[in-house]
């Protein structure tokens, strides 16, 4: 629907309440937008498509500031494109979040004294679906609070029947193309979640542990190795040294007694060993370390697992049944008693991997798992960006992307969970392995069983740009809305999600990437730049701020901080400032409506407009052009700032104020200004709408009497510019600003009236005398006028009669003191900048700071001297 087909409101309102109350407006407006279908995307439309998918939040989640930030940016993009005439789809949905959701439901069961094994797989999954229906997805309601313009009719869930079919289809396709395989390898194992997790789900942090140096062997056949995980020595199957290390050449190929066991292990030569690190010897535990596993493969070493899935020791003997940390202490004690401890270092700080879900220390573990062979997929994902098919914004983030996809290891996709997409592979009684597609019949009969594992959550979310559109079916939606126009997401999931979507999109969609542009934003932090966290006590619930200041204020604050790829600091006082901006928009529009602002009729031609009218229309068009360019470059902070300063400074502070004298005079001039002011407000509210949709919708429908800003046309730059009018009003602003500053310096109250003589003849300011007097509270000179202060400003002269309002002698004394301080500051800065030795050593930022001080001192001296000159003799 275009502006021209919009319905008129039954009765245009010309008055607004004195104050804006967001809570009374936002909920009602949003439901009206949804009911009228403004956010619905039509696959049959002939309009050009614009598609963005929501990064699907976890079904266990709730709206946090990071969500609010990201959703604000996406909503701004899609609202603008909708206004520009695109068939716009913002695809909503949620992720089933395998580990997180299973953990939540298992905790609920634990309160009943049960585990998932007490229920069995099918009943447990039913319990999860029940939880999802009752408690999951509260984020949907919170998205409505924020104003997200998503197509709710298309909302999807990664465990929906259609998306499950997509998962099974691509698994089967990858399997048939030999890009999915099953193999025993070292994986990251979480003893708490009891599942494998991928490399990117491991969070590393510095932990205090211990470094113990152990002596293996006897006499000339003794070696010393160091370890932070002494318990794994029970699974050692070799000692490795570098082939060129002369210290140990005589030992290569020999067997050395492994302490605390009845085994002997060989010494092998392997180039992986760094002879310069420690003793140059390393213990090799292939079943519990990824590097050791690779050494074991090269030297055909046995793999001895010493722990079960709970990280409990399984090796028969005195340590069997101990937790890994208990075993570590006991084994070190036994080695110490046996005289095998050479050195101990406690605490020893080192980087340790933790499960990103539950924070448990990860245990590397040899395990049979399913893997994706990522080589060809990752190459295609890298080439798509290198070839320009996909743009990454900001461009400097490309290096991060390439560093990842160019060095990607095969992806472990199986998880030892019950909640998720079950791996579609069946095993037969005689070793048969059958992968079943969505149209295939699963094998039946005695001895056939399905693989018990489920797929990594990122496997299904990697299909999101096309599975949500009906793939593998060739739907109208898929034809219309794939590929996505842009992906907006945090740089922190560039590897988790973005790379997966790139690989799967290019593979499944015949080389067509899933999106044209990837826009990466930073993380929201507190006002001091610190990460927000409950443990830090600085986490913020955005709903609290929405309740207090309104959703528009939260959105505008977030957008104004959104520089590409950079973290966003935010504090409550900034949200309060944005609330003040919303109030400013409200009050200015209210004033305009009460003074005849209208959009009815054509704008008068430029020759019939005042310089003030031509100036604001020129600035309006320049702002439209600037905002468009910044939107196209995803510069949300800059475009928000441009809109803020144009609306607050130029429209509300200057144009509205300058127009007051015209409105007071009435007549034809007031009608013209009312039409210009209506035009300016109309366009300004359209420009602001994508970021602050609620207050602008209320004001615009009141101003225009039309149906909704959501479906209004986006403004275009008419090309009108009037540089002469812009220079004229800039001069007017300089005069008013300088006189206001002088008044403030003299201690005059803003509303205090002062007699003045204005000498404007021969300047462009002559037509503006009434406005100057009105804005500066300057009375006409009367009988007995005495010019006690004269200000020459921009070719004009303003003479003020300050007799009886200030103590001239005291004011001269104060100004002289300030002038002396400014001259001293100038002398100091000049001396430093003239010192060659200082300039040679000082950092550039220090030198720049001193140059800034000099510039400011010069300006202060000129201002203070002018004020002194303007005062009468004491």
């Amino acid at each position: 629907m275009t502006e021209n087909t919009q319905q008129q409101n039954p009765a245009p309102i010309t008055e607004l309440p004195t104050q804006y109350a967001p809570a009374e407006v936002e909920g009602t407006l949003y439901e009206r937008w949804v009911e009228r279908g403004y956010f619905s995307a039509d696959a049959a439309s002939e309009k050009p498509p614009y598609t963005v998918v929501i990064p699907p939040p976890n079904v266990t989640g709730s709206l946090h500031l990071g969500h609010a930030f990201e959703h604000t940016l996406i909503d701004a993009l899609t609202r603008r494109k909708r206004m520009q005439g695109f068939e716009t789809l913002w695809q909503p949905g949620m992720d089933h979040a395998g580990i997180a959701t299973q953990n939540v439901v298992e905790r609920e069961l634990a309160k009943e004294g049960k585990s998932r094994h007490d229920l069995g797989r099918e009943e447990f999954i039913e319990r999860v679906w029940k939880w999802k229906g009752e408690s999951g997805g509260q984020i949907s309601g919170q998205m409505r609070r924020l104003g997200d313009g998503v197509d709710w009719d298309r909302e999807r869930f990664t465990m929906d029947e259609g998306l499950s079919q997509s998962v099974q289809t691509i698994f089967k396709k990858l399997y048939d193309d030999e890009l999915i395989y099953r193999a025993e390898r070292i994986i990251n194992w979480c003893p708490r979640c009891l599942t494998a997790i991928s490399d990117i789900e491991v969070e590393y942090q510095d932990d205090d542990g211990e470094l113990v140096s152990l002596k293996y062997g006897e006499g000339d056949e003794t070696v010393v190795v160091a370890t932070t995980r002494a318990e794994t020595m029970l699974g050692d199957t070799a000692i490795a040294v570098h082939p060129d290390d002369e210290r140990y050449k005589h030992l290569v190929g020999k067997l050395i007694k492994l302490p605390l066991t009845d085994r002997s292990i060989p010494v092998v030569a392997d180039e992986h060993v760094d002879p310069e690190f420690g003793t140059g010897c390393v213990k090799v535990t292939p079943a519990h370390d990824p590097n050791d596993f690779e050494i074991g493969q090269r030297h055909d070493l046995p793999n001895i697992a010493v722990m079960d899935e709970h990280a409990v020791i399984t090796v028969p003997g005195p340590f069997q049944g101990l937790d890994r940390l208990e075993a570590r202490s006991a084994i070190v004690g036994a080695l110490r008693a046996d005289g095998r401890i050479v050195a101990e270092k406690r605490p020893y700080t080192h980087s340790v991997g933790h499960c990103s879900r539950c924070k448990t220390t990860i245990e590397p573990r040899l395990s049979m798992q399913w893997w994706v062979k990522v080589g060809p997929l990752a190459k295609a994902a890298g080439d798509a960006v290198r070839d320009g098919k996909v743009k990454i914004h900001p461009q400097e983030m490309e290096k991060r992307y390439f560093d990842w996809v160019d060095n990607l290891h095969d992806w472990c996709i199986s998880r030892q969970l019950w909640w998720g997409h079950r791996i579609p592979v069946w095993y037969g009684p005689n070793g048969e392995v059958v992968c079943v597609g969505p149209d295939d019949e699963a094998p039946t009969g005695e001895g056939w069983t399905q693989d018990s594992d489920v797929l990594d959550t990122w496997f299904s979310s990697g299909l999101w740009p096309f599975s949500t559109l009906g793939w593998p079916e060739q739907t109208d939606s898929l034809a219309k809305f794939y590929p996505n126009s842009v992906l907006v997401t945090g740089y922190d999931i560039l590897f988790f999600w973005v790379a997966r979507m790139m690989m799967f999109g290019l593979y499944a969609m015949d080389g067509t990437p899933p999106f044209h542009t990837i826009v990466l934003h930073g993380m929201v932090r507190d006002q001091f730049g610190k990460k927000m966290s409950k443990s830090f006590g600085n986490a913020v619930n955005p709903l609290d701020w929405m309740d207090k200041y309104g959703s528009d204020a939260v959105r505008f604050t977030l957008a104004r901080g959104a520089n590409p790829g950079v973290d966003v600091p935010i504090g409550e006082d900034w949200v309060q400032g944005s609330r003040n901006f919303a109030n400013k928009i409200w009050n200015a529009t209210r004033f305009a409506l009460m003074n005849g602002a209208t959009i009815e009729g054509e704008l008068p031609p430029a020759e019939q407009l005042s310089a003030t009218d031509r100036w604001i229309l020129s600035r309006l068009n320049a702002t439209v052009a600037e905002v468009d360019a910044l939107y196209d470059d995803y510069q949300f902070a800059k475009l928000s700032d441009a809109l803020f300063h144009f609306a607050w400074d130029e429209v509300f502070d200057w144009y509205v104020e300058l127009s007051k004298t015209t409105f007071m005079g009435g007549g034809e001039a007031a009608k013209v200004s009312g039409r210009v002011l209506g035009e300016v407000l109309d366009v300004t509210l359209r420009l602001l709408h994508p970021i602050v949709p609620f207050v602008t919708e209320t004001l615009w429908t009141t101003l225009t009497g039309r149906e909704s800003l959501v479906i209004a046309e986006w403004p275009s730059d008419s090309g009108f510019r009037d540089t002469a009018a812009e220079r004229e009003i800039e001069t007017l602003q300089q005069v008013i600003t300088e006189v206001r500053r002088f008044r403030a310096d003299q201690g005059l109250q803003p509303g205090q009236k002062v007699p003045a003589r204005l000498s404007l003849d021969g300047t462009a300011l002559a037509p503006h005398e009434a406005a100057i007097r009105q804005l500066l509270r300057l009375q006409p000179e009367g009988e007995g006028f005495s010019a006690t202060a004269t200000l020459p400003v921009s070719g004009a002269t303003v003479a003020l009669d300050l007799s009886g309002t200030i103590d001239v002698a005291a004011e001269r004394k104060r100004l002289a003191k300030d002038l002396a301080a400014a001259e001293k500051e100038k002398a100091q800065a000049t001396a430093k900048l003239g010192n060659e030795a200082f300039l040679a050593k000082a950092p550039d930022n220090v030198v720049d700071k001193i140059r800034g001080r000099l510039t400011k001192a010069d300006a202060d001296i000129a201002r203070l001297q002018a004020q002194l000159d303007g005062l009468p003799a004491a």
Side-chain angles (χ1 to χ4, degrees), residues 632-750:
D632 291 340
D633 197 34
Y634 305 101
Q635 297 280 355
F636 297 100
K638 289 183 178 178
L639 73 88
S640 299
D641 214 44
L643 285 170
F644 174 86
H645 287 294
F646 174 71
W648 190 305
D649 299 343
E650 299 188 88
V651 179
F652 305 147
D653 272 0
W654 283 109
Y655 183 71
V656 168
E657 291 300 315
L658 288 170
S659 299
K660 283 182 178 178
T661 52
T662 306
F663 288 132
M664 290 168 60
E668 188 61 30
K671 290 182 180 178
V672 170
S673 286
R675 178 64 186 90
V676 172
L677 181 53
E679 182 77 11
V680 171
L681 284 175
D682 174 20
V683 174
T684 302
L685 292 171
R686 292 175 197 241
L687 291 174
L688 284 166
H689 176 74
I691 299 174
V692 285
F694 294 108
V695 66
T696 52
E697 172 83 340
T698 305
L699 295 174
W700 187 84
T701 52
T702 303
L703 171 71
T704 66
R706 291 181 177 156
E707 183 181 346
S708 177
L709 249 183
V710 181
I711 52 172
E713 292 179 3
W714 181 253
S716 59
D717 175 13
S718 70
F720 175 77
R721 300 290 190 279
D722 192 324
T723 54
E726 290 193 34
R727 286 195 300 269
E728 182 174 327
I729 301 304
E730 284 170 11
T731 303
L732 175 61
Q733 290 170 335
Q734 289 169 7
V735 171
I736 293 171
T737 301
E738 285 300 315
V739 177
R740 278 176 173 168
R741 183 183 292 124
F742 179 79
R743 286 176 55 108
D745 288 341
Q746 310 310 313
L748 298 176
Q749 294 300 314

Side-chain angles (χ1 to χ4, degrees), residues 271-315:
E271 291 188 352
H272 171 75
V273 180
D274 180 1
E276 303 298 324
F277 183 76
T279 64
C281 300
V282 296
K283 58 190 286 298
V284 182
T285 320
H288 291 279
D289 183 274
N291 293 322
D292 292 3
F293 177 78
E294 297 297 330
I295 294 174
Q297 293 289 98
R298 288 193 288 271
H299 298 277
D300 198 24
L301 300 175
N303 302 315
I304 300 177
V306 301
M307 285 177 248
D308 65 12
E309 66 270 23
H310 298 281
V312 171
I313 301 298
T314 57
V315 177

Side-chain angles (χ1 to χ4, degrees), residues 75-133:
D75 198 39
L77 291 175
T78 51
R79 282 179 182 271
R80 172 176 175 257
K81 285 297 182 180
R82 190 177 291 112
M83 293 171 76
Q84 287 181 316
F86 286 79
E87 192 61 36
T88 303
L89 168 61
W90 183 8
Q91 173 68 54
M94 287 180 290
D95 193 284
H96 66 279
I99 295 176
T101 304
Q102 181 158 318
N103 282 347
V104 168
V105 178
E106 286 195 89
R107 283 196 295 270
E108 293 295 315
L109 285 175
K111 294 176 184 176
E112 304 171 16
K114 297 179 181 178
S115 73
R116 59 182 163 122
H117 300 286
D118 294 323
L119 272 66
R121 186 167 190 141
E122 288 188 12
E123 189 176 341
F124 175 76
I125 291 173
E126 287 179 9
R127 182 71 173 259
V128 180
W129 276 108
K130 181 181 178 184
W131 174 88
K132 190 260 181 185

Side-chain angles (χ1 to χ4, degrees), residues 189 247 609 713 809 820:
W189 181 264
R247 294 172 294 176
L609 299 176
E713 292 179 3

Side-chain angles (χ1 to χ4, degrees), residues 231-432:
E231 69 279 9
T232 63
M233 60 139 325
L234 300 175
D236 287 356
T237 57
I239 297 293
V241 299
H242 193 275
D244 299 332
D245 195 331
E246 295 294 336
R247 294 172 294 176
Y248 305 113
K249 277 194 172 182
H250 67 289
L251 293 178
V252 175
K254 293 187 176 182
L255 296 177
I256 286 181
K257 181 74 167 62
L258 180 64
L260 306 183
T261 73
D262 59 359
R263 294 190 292 116
S264 293
I265 57 177
V267 178
V268 299
D270 195 281
E271 291 188 352
H272 171 75
V273 180
D274 180 1
E276 303 298 324
F277 183 76
T279 64
C281 300
V282 296
K283 58 190 286 298
V284 182
T285 320
H288 291 279
D289 183 274
N291 293 322
D292 292 3
F293 177 78
E294 297 297 330
I295 294 174
Q297 293 289 98
R298 288 193 288 271
H299 298 277
D300 198 24
L301 300 175
N303 302 315
I304 300 177
V306 301
M307 285 177 248
D308 65 12
E309 66 270 23
H310 298 281
V312 171
I313 301 298
T314 57
V315 177
F319 312 111
Q320 187 175 14
L322 295 180
D323 172 82
R324 55 183 166 171
L325 298 181
E326 298 172 331
R328 182 176 302 169
S329 178
I331 288 171
V332 170
L335 290 167
R336 188 183 297 113
D338 200 27
R340 294 288 173 176
I341 301 293
V342 175
E344 297 179 70
K345 185 177 180 180
R346 294 189 189 90
Y348 176 72
T349 303
H350 61 133
S351 182
V352 178
H354 296 260
C355 173
S356 62
R357 302 293 182 185
C358 69
K359 312 309 176 187
T360 301
T361 300
I362 289 300
E363 189 63 45
R365 184 170 187 249
L366 187 65
S367 180
M368 182 68 76
Q369 301 286 344
W370 286 94
W371 304 80
V372 172
K373 187 183 296 182
V374 299
L377 303 175
K379 182 181 184 302
D383 290 345
V385 175
R386 288 189 174 92
D387 297 344
K389 289 182 181 178
V390 178
K391 306 286 186 185
I392 293 181
H393 185 88
Q395 191 173 0
E396 54 266 27
M397 285 285 182
E398 283 186 3
K399 183 180 185 301
R400 264 187 164 190
Y401 177 79
F402 292 136
D403 286 346
W404 178 254
V405 296
D406 292 347
N407 299 284
L408 202 54
H409 298 295
D410 283 0
W411 172 19
C412 176
I413 56 171
S414 47
R415 298 291 181 267
Q416 289 64 56
L417 304 170
W418 287 356
W419 173 245
H421 295 101
R422 195 165 176 181
I423 288 176
V425 172
W426 272 254
Y427 306 108
N430 300 311
E432 302 97 330

Side-chain angles (χ1 to χ4, degrees), residues 596-625:
T598 180
I599 63 164
E600 297 303 321
E602 296 293 323
L603 274 173
E607 58 270 17
Q608 294 180 18
L609 299 176
S610 69
T612 306
D613 292 337
R614 286 182 279 114
W615 160 73
I616 197 61
L617 291 173
S618 181
R619 290 295 306 128
L620 178 68
N621 278 286
T623 301
V624 170

